[in-house]
Amino acid sequence: MVHFPQEGLYQDVLRLVRMEGDIADIEIDGEIPAEMDGAFYRVHPDPQFAPRKPGDQFFNGDGMVTMFRFKDGRVSMKQRYAKTDKWKLENEAGRALFGSYRNPRTDDPSVIGQHRGTANTNVLVFGDDLIAMKEDSPCLTMDKLTLETDGYTDWSGQLTLRTFGAHPKIDPETGNLCNISYAADGDLSRDATYFEITPDGEVVRFVRFEVPYYTMLHDFGIAGDYIVIPVSPYSSDPTVLEQDRPHFYYDRSLSAWMGVMRRDGDGSDMRWFEQREALCSCHVMNAYQEGTKVHLDTPMSKIGSLPFFPDKDGAPFDPELAMTELARFTVDVTSNEDKVESVTPLGKAPGEFPRIDDRMAGKPYRHGWMITYDLAKPYNGPPGPFAGVINTLTHFDVVSGEEQSWWCGPDGSIQEPCFIPRSKDAPEGDGWLVALVDDHVRNYSDLCIFDALDVANGPIARAKLPIRLRQGLHGNWAAADLLEAA
Ligand code: V55
Ligand code: FE
């Protein structure tokens, strides 16, 4: 018998799906471009079992992976759980064994020491596999065609860390997967790492560094010769875990920091640039190097943007201060001052889930997309998990400053988009965008396809799912050649 607590986390927009399955040749409105050949993978949190106690976090749900395969103007869907060690142990037991988000003290004694990961944050085809990631655990590999789970990998013994970041970047020059990990030597630790893995699975770079304080090191950027890491004042301490409060709190007494380090160094050159006025940035749109300067583009808010992680001192969540707007952080690596040189607005529409044409990762670029909040528009549905209803898709030309948007209508919201290049060597931004649009009134989702540089025109096609998918996190496109068996 499955009884979830009567909580907002499982109602309405967040009603669980918990369904594995396949749909061939999904019904389509409009025309899917025949040149779209590949697969869009994405993941959402979807707990297999009711939590051990009420008050669980959205971020703690088991990863449910969806693959949309595009070919010959058709699209099919396959959905499977990421069968993590946690998922398997709980499936065997028929109930939840792991407790609160990022708090092993709340687990059943039978699972102490096991990886607690849910693989619910990001999915990406890399090398021969689909990798599914959660930042508190190693990297999970799945079959990229069947979505059957293989298990956690340590990259043939080369990466024995207990953690693997969920926002890796693929270096467009080398094809290497560039990634960070944090709390690498245990919960609440300041130890972090940077590493690069070749498409053949060889770890070619691995360095350690320390962050200014224990924090949620959720995303980072590659920027030419450098990596750049935004640190926002989300932190935690042992008392929080002892008292089983939400793992992260937002501490306004802490500064924000930007860490910059050479990619080819040994980690000892890591420099931290302070931003005194506390800010919050979870996701990176892109970063790049301009001589001795490093720029980082990110949606940023004045306080913590995640409503389910409380203010340390108990200040109530203020959705207005939590609104995220696109900004550019700049530092100069030759500066004698350990301060962020400038923080300048880069966009008008508030929003989150920034994306680019990933072939531009770490390079000067022009086109970015985010899902944004048009607060002036009506909304007929129930509230969602974030600071507001993300009802609009916006294209940002970060060179000209122009923006264009498409509103999804009053009945729903939009999930993170993903850019698909028209061909391998198409110019930056030339291609399509896919994004799930969830109708919370009628309770279904459409996978919408847009002309990436003309989103204001609305979807050129919709693949009409018979169900509504749950609010997801991140996903990526894999072109057909990446799907061929190795
Ligand atoms: C984030 C998401 C997570 C997580 C930690 O957006 C940070 C940030 C989906 O899980 O565990
Ligand atoms: Fe994320």
Side-chain angles (χ1 to χ4, degrees):
M1 217 176 343
V2 174
H3 285 143
F4 280 78
Q6 298 296 305
E7 293 172 4
L9 184 55
Y10 313 107
Q11 314 297 325
D12 302 321
V13 175
L14 292 174
R15 182 182 287 205
L16 302 169
V17 177
R18 300 172 70 248
M19 190 188 78
E20 301 187 304
D22 297 83
I23 308 174
D25 217 351
I26 298 172
E27 187 197 354
I28 290 164
D29 275 353
E31 297 290 330
I32 296 202
E35 313 98 282
M36 286 180 80
D37 190 0
F40 169 52
Y41 298 87
R42 48 78 70 187
V43 61
H44 71 239
D46 211 349
Q48 179 183 198
F49 293 109
R52 282 163 67 77
K53 67 179 195 42
D56 199 18
Q57 294 276 357
F58 174 63
F59 283 175
N60 209 25
D62 298 291
M64 182 67 92
V65 177
T66 320
M67 171 193 194
F68 293 101
R69 176 71 166 104
F70 288 78
K71 194 173 173 57
D72 300 329
R74 298 164 187 254
V75 55
S76 62
M77 169 177 154
K78 182 182 287 295
Q79 184 158 281
R80 297 286 187 278
Y81 267 119
K83 292 180 180 156
T84 57
D85 294 3
K86 170 186 184 289
W87 189 97
K88 287 178 183 161
L89 288 161
E90 294 186 337
N91 190 261
E92 188 105 329
R95 65 188 173 93
L97 299 172
F98 293 80
S100 308
Y101 173 74
R102 308 285 285 272
N103 192 349
R105 294 165 206 232
T106 59
D107 295 348
D108 186 280
S110 67
V111 298
I112 298 295
Q114 300 282 349
H115 295 301
R116 308 182 77 251
T118 48
N120 70 6
T121 311
N122 203 355
V123 276
L124 169 75
V125 169
F126 182 65
D128 298 340
D129 296 311
L130 179 70
I131 60 175
M133 293 154 278
K134 176 72 170 183
E135 64 199 45
D136 70 350
S137 292
C139 179
L140 192 79
T141 63
M142 301 173 71
D143 187 289
K144 60 195 173 191
L145 300 180
T146 66
L147 298 188
E148 289 310 308
T149 299
D150 300 320
Y152 286 118
T153 178
D154 64 3
W155 304 92
S156 311
Q158 298 169 95
L159 274 187
T160 52
L161 305 168
R162 288 186 69 87
T163 61
F164 188 95
H167 280 282
K169 305 292 178 275
I170 303 296
D171 179 341
E173 305 299 328
T174 62
N176 288 356
L177 179 139
C178 308
N179 203 3
I180 55 174
S181 72
Y182 75 98
D185 298 322
D187 283 340
L188 308 182
S189 92
R190 291 166 56 205
D191 302 304
T193 76
Y194 173 73
F195 50 89
E196 293 190 18
I197 309 174
T198 67
D200 294 335
E202 198 190 335
V203 176
V204 286
R205 281 181 180 154
F206 178 85
V207 301
R208 289 180 180 272
F209 61 92
E210 264 196 359
V211 282
Y213 46 82
Y214 171 71
T215 187
M216 183 176 87
L217 222 56
H218 183 65
D219 197 355
F220 79 109
I222 55 173
D225 298 329
Y226 296 93
I227 67 155
V228 43
I229 305 184
V231 163
S232 304
Y234 275 121
S235 192
S236 192
D237 63 55
T239 316
V240 164
L241 303 191
E242 272 155 35
Q243 298 176 351
D244 194 15
R245 289 189 272 126
H247 180 99
F248 290 109
Y249 51 63
Y250 189 79
D251 184 350
R252 278 170 300 161
S253 72
L254 298 172
S255 294
W257 295 86
M258 200 169 129
V260 179
M261 174 177 87
R262 284 194 68 85
R263 282 172 59 189
D264 59 2
D266 63 2
S268 60
D269 64 317
M270 171 62 91
R271 273 190 71 181
W272 291 101
F273 297 90
E274 189 177 24
Q275 174 60 38
R276 259 309 302 158
E277 186 198 349
L279 300 168
C280 175
S281 131
C282 274
H283 288 123
V284 171
M285 179 173 267
N286 200 10
Y288 64 96
Q289 175 187 1
E290 190 181 20
T292 63
K293 289 193 197 292
V294 173
H295 305 287
L296 172 91
D297 298 350
T298 170
M300 179 198 87
S301 51
K302 296 195 172 65
I303 57 157
S305 59
L306 300 167
F308 33 82
F309 294 142
D311 183 276
K312 187 182 184 201
D313 302 321
F317 183 76
D318 180 338
E320 245 168 75
L321 290 178
M323 269 295 149
T324 38
E325 291 177 9
L326 197 59
R328 174 165 293 171
F329 284 63
T330 299
V331 301
D332 190 322
V333 293
T334 59
S335 154
N336 295 323
E337 263 195 286
D338 292 331
K339 298 246 180 289
V340 171
E341 185 176 284
S342 61
V343 183
T344 46
L346 202 59
K348 291 178 276 294
E352 243 289 350
F353 293 100
R355 296 305 299 263
I356 55 166
D357 176 337
D358 291 313
R359 297 171 302 166
M360 305 307 290
K363 304 182 184 194
Y365 72 111
R366 174 163 200 167
H367 300 292
W369 296 266
M370 293 205 298
I371 44 178
T372 54
Y373 304 92
D374 187 339
L375 303 167
K377 290 289 198 291
Y379 176 61
N380 300 328
F386 303 118
V389 179
I390 310 185
N391 57 7
T392 300
L393 174 64
T394 300
H395 166 245
F396 295 80
D397 181 329
V398 300
V399 173
S400 72
E402 275 164 51
E403 289 173 22
Q404 53 150 299
S405 292
W406 174 75
W407 173 49
C408 75
D411 296 339
S413 63
I414 313 184
Q415 301 200 23
E416 182 183 77
C418 177
F419 175 79
I420 301 167
R422 192 175 306 277
S423 65
K424 283 249 164 341
D425 43 18
E428 179 192 356
D430 180 20
W432 306 279
L433 222 59
V434 287
L436 281 160
V437 174
D438 306 324
D439 185 320
H440 303 309
V441 174
R442 289 164 208 84
N443 219 23
Y444 56 64
S445 298
D446 288 346
L447 182 65
C448 292
I449 297 99
F450 301 83
D451 184 337
L453 297 181
D454 191 16
V455 300
N457 198 32
I460 55 173
R462 289 171 177 258
K464 304 192 326 175
L465 308 192
I467 57 167
R468 179 193 45 72
L469 295 189
R470 207 168 183 236
Q471 173 68 51
L473 280 314
H474 308 293
N476 291 284
W477 174 256
D481 59 318
L482 287 177
L483 301 180
E484 276 151 27

